[in-house]
Amino acid sequence: EIGINIEERQHLLQPPPRGAFRIRTEMDSRLITLRLVPGFDDACIIHMIRAARETHLKGLILQLYGTGNMPSLKDDLVHALTDATKAGVCVVVTTQCHTGSVMLGHYATGMALKEAGVVSAGDMTLEATTAKLAYLLGRQDLTIDEVRDLMGVDLRGELTPEDEMPPPPLATAYQKAIAKKNRSRRY
């Protein structure tokens, strides 16, 4: 921000490159994105996931509500996602909201998704999530577990680091004060 003082957002600055410039062109496009809407038929989605796995699906991106939520009565869908992750599919959850981020584990459905092996896209847009997942899946030197881990790592400024994220909007005054205090300690 620029005003009387200039405040830099340090988390947006990337360190200088460590090696020679190189371009990786291998992208694995064997992924699908699904935007869930209220009242969706989970049986159709389950069948689509199973059919896609037969065609060697590598990635599945789900656009969910708010912080990564979906209706809590969708146990069959959670089981299908568990099966997909066990079969080597990287399942990533992103939000449909224009601001904010996915925070798996803050609600019961998010916790169930996390236990199913689903990973959070944080505050990445759908486009950034798709490009990043295709890039990581295209890298032949990475295992699926490494791909899952790297989805939560800021590689090129596409993701706000978790410790730089503002507190959830419904956080208590105490949580907000602690977060503000911790941010002011940065040098």
Side-chain angles (χ1 to χ4, degrees):
E1 291 182 37
I2 297 179
I4 295 174
N5 298 317
I6 297 176
E7 294 181 28
E8 295 177 346
R9 296 186 181 175
Q10 292 294 323
H11 72 280
L12 296 176
L13 301 176
Q14 294 292 314
R18 290 180 283 167
F21 179 74
R22 65 176 180 234
I23 298 175
R24 293 185 183 265
T25 59
E26 303 83 19
M27 303 279 276
D28 193 333
S29 60
R30 291 177 291 174
L31 55 93
I32 55 176
T33 64
L34 294 175
R35 181 180 179 102
L36 300 188
V37 295
F40 69 89
D41 183 356
D42 56 329
C44 290
I45 295 172
I46 291 167
H47 290 298
M48 186 172 65
I49 292 169
R50 289 186 180 141
R53 281 183 39 212
E54 292 174 13
T55 59
H56 308 290
L57 177 71
K58 292 290 183 185
L60 172 62
I61 300 170
L62 299 174
Q63 263 194 307
L64 301 183
Y65 321 132
T67 60
N69 290 303
M70 62 181 200
S72 59
L73 301 175
K74 302 291 185 179
D75 290 336
D76 290 341
L77 178 57
V78 173
H79 292 305
L81 295 174
T82 302
D83 292 344
T85 59
K86 287 180 180 176
V89 176
C90 184
V91 181
V92 182
V93 174
T94 185
T95 181
Q96 295 177 13
C97 299
H98 296 288
T99 60
S101 70
V102 172
M103 294 181 283
L104 294 180
H106 283 259
Y107 298 101
T109 53
M111 184 59 78
L113 291 171
K114 193 173 186 178
E115 290 171 359
V118 174
V119 295
S120 168
D123 65 344
M124 285 189 286
T125 63
L126 176 62
E127 296 80 7
T129 303
T130 304
K132 183 174 185 175
L133 185 56
Y135 163 72
L136 292 173
L137 291 171
R139 295 219 13 210
Q140 301 299 313
D141 60 330
L142 299 175
T143 67
I144 193 66
D145 288 329
E146 291 171 327
V147 169
R148 289 181 180 124
D149 290 342
L150 287 170
M151 285 302 295
V153 174
D154 180 32
L155 300 177
R156 299 290 183 267
E158 76 283 0
L159 175 69
T160 304
E162 198 170 309
D163 62 338
E164 295 288 336
M165 294 294 293
L170 298 177
T172 65
Y174 171 76
Q175 290 169 321
K176 289 178 184 178
I178 294 298
K180 183 176 180 180
K181 180 179 174 183
N182 289 339
R183 280 195 298 270
S184 68
R185 289 184 178 172
R186 304 244 161 94
Y187 301 108

